[in-house]
Amino acid sequence: MGAGPLTPITVTCRPLETTRTANSPCSWIAAATIEDQTYTATARHGAPNELARQLVAAGFADRPMGIRYQGLAGSMTYRSFHAAATWTYGERDQPLRRVRYKERPEGLFLGSGARQKCVSSPVADDVEIPPANRHETEAPAQAERRRCDECDSNFLPARPWSRFCSPACRLRAHRRLGRDTRTQKSSAISESAFP
């Protein structure tokens, strides 16, 4: 492939069927050959965007990027692969959507297999090894536990600012708050309509 500044980068994506599970889609591998070197990236969602981040890090000048998916008709084009590098796809507790890419801090597990990175502290001589069975460990101190704002159950917060025991409780509370706000607005409107 030529290395001209406006020559589009051709990216081919194919599914890695061995990574498919009953609860999640398979990973995709995106590959592009530039100046006789092949670059690849793997992701469940947004493999071309991950590849674009690699190309930006490698110092390539910005240009269009054309993407073809194996087994699917048609293609997709980004006018700027530098712009594509700023996006990714996320789902968490919502449908899959395009979101801004944020660099993960060091110390988090960034992938699977050999790509895992973890920053660990040096081993101390007096480190206590916990038992294999979690039920044998001591219960956390009651002072650390908190009451869920929605279901009123006790829980051990994952973060100091956590107010809910689960994402479901958090969602219920936010929905209830939205309903209460709409009710207050409609009652305020009806009161102002009839003095």
Side-chain angles (χ1 to χ4, degrees):
M1 174 183 204
L6 296 178
T7 304
I9 295 171
T10 303
V11 177
T12 55
C13 295
R14 63 181 173 81
L16 296 172
E17 292 295 336
T18 57
T19 62
R20 189 182 303 275
T21 66
N23 296 325
S24 63
C26 66
S27 293
W28 287 75
I29 185 164
T33 302
I34 304 170
E35 298 173 358
D36 297 327
Q37 186 168 353
T38 302
Y39 296 86
T40 61
T42 305
R44 286 204 190 277
H45 308 293
N49 301 80
E50 181 64 34
L51 179 62
R53 284 187 281 281
Q54 286 184 20
L55 299 177
V56 169
F60 287 105
D62 196 12
R63 54 182 141 162
M65 180 169 76
I67 305 161
R68 289 195 159 283
Y69 286 89
Q70 179 184 337
L72 298 175
S75 64
M76 187 169 85
T77 304
Y78 285 103
R79 286 185 273 179
S80 161
F81 78 84
H82 282 222
T86 63
W87 294 100
T88 190
Y89 293 86
E91 54 186 347
R92 297 201 183 186
D93 57 352
Q94 299 176 355
L96 184 67
R97 68 197 188 290
R98 189 174 82 155
V99 294
R100 284 274 178 201
Y101 176 75
K102 293 179 185 171
E103 187 73 32
R104 292 182 182 165
E106 280 295 321
L108 293 180
F109 288 100
L110 299 176
S112 60
R115 290 181 39 198
Q116 288 186 344
K117 295 181 184 176
C118 181
V119 177
S120 57
S121 58
V123 177
D125 291 337
D126 59 347
V127 173
E128 182 180 320
I129 299 173
N133 184 353
R134 289 182 154 195
H135 300 292
E136 295 173 10
T137 60
E138 292 181 30
Q142 190 64 25
E144 295 176 358
R145 292 194 166 271
R146 194 176 289 170
R147 282 216 176 277
C148 176
D149 286 358
E150 179 62 21
C151 69
D152 209 32
S153 66
N154 285 329
F155 73 102
L156 186 62
R159 296 173 188 85
W161 57 85
S162 294
R163 294 174 33 216
F164 304 102
C165 65
S166 68
C169 278
R170 180 174 47 87
L171 187 60
R172 278 195 297 271
H174 286 274
R175 284 182 176 161
R176 185 171 35 79
L177 179 64
R179 280 194 304 269
D180 293 348
T181 304
R182 284 193 298 274
T183 304
Q184 288 174 355
K185 284 182 181 177
S186 63
S187 64
I189 291 170
S190 62
E191 287 175 7
S192 64
F194 300 105

